[in-house]
Amino acid sequence: MDYLAELRRQGFHQADDRRDSEGRVQFDSDLYCGTPDEVTVQVYASNQQVLEREFMPTLEALLPLIDEMVIGLGEINADLAQIILFRGRLGLHFWSRRINNEFTAVYARSGDRWVFQGFGEIFVDG
C-alpha cells in the first residue's frame, strides 16, 4: 500500500483539544476511508507546524516500510487499524479477524531502523 501518498492526499486533522502533560495533542489522518484497507495514522505533537517539521520526515521514511513490517510479524490473523507515533516509539495496532481482540506491535528506533520490541502498550513511558 502507498500509505505515504494517501497521507499526502488526506493530510492531518487535530483529533481533540486536550493536551497531555507535555503539551501535545492528537493528530489523525484516516487513510483509505471506507475500504477494507482503512487505517488511521496517529501522531502527538504540540501543533501542526511541529507535526510537519518534526514528524513528517519520520513518516516519510517509515510509511513505505509498513507492509514489510507487518509481514515480518508472521501470520497474526488480524488487520492493521492504526499506525501510531508516540514518544519516539512506533505502534502498529491491529484488530483480530476472528475474535474481539486488539493488540499493538511496538517498535523502537535504532539508528535508521525500527526494531520490534514485542506486543504491548504504546502509551507508556519508554
Side-chain angles (χ1 to χ4, degrees):
M1 307 282 310
D2 194 345
Y3 297 111
L4 183 55
E6 182 70 3
L7 175 63
R8 287 182 173 141
R9 276 191 289 281
Q10 298 299 328
F12 278 98
H13 64 275
Q14 187 171 325
D16 63 42
D17 292 326
R18 291 174 290 172
R19 294 189 177 275
D20 69 10
S21 62
E22 296 174 21
R24 296 175 303 215
V25 294
Q26 178 180 328
F27 289 89
D28 289 347
S29 183
D30 299 315
L31 311 183
Y32 305 108
C33 287
T35 74
D37 298 316
E38 185 170 348
V39 64
T40 298
V41 177
Q42 192 175 75
V43 177
Y44 293 81
S46 57
N47 59 50
Q48 185 79 33
Q49 292 76 23
V50 169
L51 185 155
E52 294 293 331
R53 184 178 63 246
E54 295 180 15
F55 292 96
M56 278 308 294
T58 298
L59 289 168
E60 288 168 349
L62 172 68
L63 290 177
L65 306 175
I66 294 297
D67 287 336
E68 180 181 318
M69 294 169 89
V70 171
I71 290 168
L73 294 172
E75 179 51 47
I76 56 174
N77 201 23
D79 296 312
L80 180 63
Q82 293 175 301
I83 300 166
I84 305 163
L85 284 179
F86 185 75
R87 293 187 175 164
R89 291 185 310 274
L90 167 67
L92 299 181
H93 189 76
F94 295 89
W95 292 336
S96 294
R97 292 184 191 127
R98 293 191 187 137
I99 59 172
N100 185 14
N101 190 29
E102 306 178 26
F103 56 93
T104 305
V106 178
Y107 296 79
R109 186 179 279 177
S110 176
D112 61 350
R113 296 182 23 218
W114 290 92
V115 179
F116 179 63
Q117 302 296 296
F119 293 101
E121 176 61 50
I122 188 72
F123 298 107
V124 294
D125 290 331

